[in-house]
Amino acid sequence: ISLTDGAVLEKGCVYVIPLQESLALPPGLSAVANAKSSTGRLDLLTRTIAGRTVQAGNSIGGAISDDGKLIAVSNYEPGGVRVFDAETLALVADIPAAGKTIGLVDVPGRRFAWAVWDTGEVFLGDFSGVEPVVAPLGNAGKNPFDAVLTDDAHTYLVGLFGEKGVTAFDLWDADAKPQ
């Protein structure tokens, strides 16, 4: 549907609308975005909502596990990370945090990394086993505002608000410390 000349959208209908924004990703890399506090599955063939779940009050970012089976969502309010089964949208884990979670990335091996704005703490969640294991990696510094994973999945880089440079965590090191 084109919105060039405006349009009246009906409640309860699914619309596929091209965005004006664009993102150039390298081959083999995909991305997902969701500006609302819910996650859903769309059946593009029938143009219907095939599933939906509420994440939290104010979600800020999401990531999909490397095997495509998990969806993780970081939240400003109430904070923390929620992980859902990608097929059923059932809640797999609800990990609380002492503030806003930012910089959520997927790490190979069914893992996710994230930071907490309010405390500077960085965590690595491992979902490869029967039960999730969440381990603290250390403190990135004051007010981490975003983070990325290097293309080789070796280093988690955390940007700090008002600072030049980043704090790095070597995820290949069993005892990763902030650098």
Side-chain angles (χ1 to χ4, degrees):
I1 183 172
S2 171
L3 299 178
T4 305
D5 298 322
V8 176
L9 304 179
E10 295 179 38
K11 185 176 179 180
C13 295
V14 175
Y15 296 92
V16 178
I17 300 170
L19 297 177
Q20 293 179 356
E21 295 83 7
S22 64
L23 180 63
L25 297 173
L29 184 65
S30 61
V32 64
N34 184 2
K36 298 291 181 188
S37 295
S38 65
T39 291
R41 294 177 56 232
L42 296 178
D43 181 330
L44 295 179
L45 184 61
T46 62
R47 301 179 76 176
T48 60
I49 298 172
R52 181 177 180 271
T53 187
V54 175
Q55 299 160 181
N58 190 350
S59 303
I60 189 62
I64 299 173
S65 61
D66 59 344
D67 63 1
K69 296 185 184 276
L70 299 173
I71 301 170
V73 181
S74 63
N75 297 295
Y76 268 7
E77 297 294 334
V81 173
R82 286 188 171 176
V83 181
F84 300 91
D85 179 283
E87 183 66 28
T88 66
L89 300 178
L91 184 65
V92 172
D94 190 355
I95 304 160
K100 300 171 178 75
T101 52
I102 59 90
L104 178 68
V105 298
D106 67 296
V107 180
R110 285 186 77 155
R111 299 181 300 161
F112 298 99
W114 64 90
V116 181
W117 164 271
D118 308 69
T119 65
E121 296 171 293
V122 174
F123 295 91
L124 182 66
D126 187 340
F127 293 82
S128 63
V130 176
E131 292 293 322
V133 176
V134 178
L137 296 181
N139 195 293
K142 186 177 180 185
N143 300 127
F145 69 91
D146 205 357
V148 296
L149 188 65
T150 56
D151 63 352
D152 60 2
H154 190 286
T155 309
Y156 183 63
L157 301 171
V158 182
L160 303 175
F161 185 73
E163 304 237 355
K164 292 182 181 179
V166 297
T167 302
F169 292 84
D170 182 351
L171 299 183
W172 290 5
D173 185 340
D175 190 31
K177 299 287 184 220
Q179 300 174 2

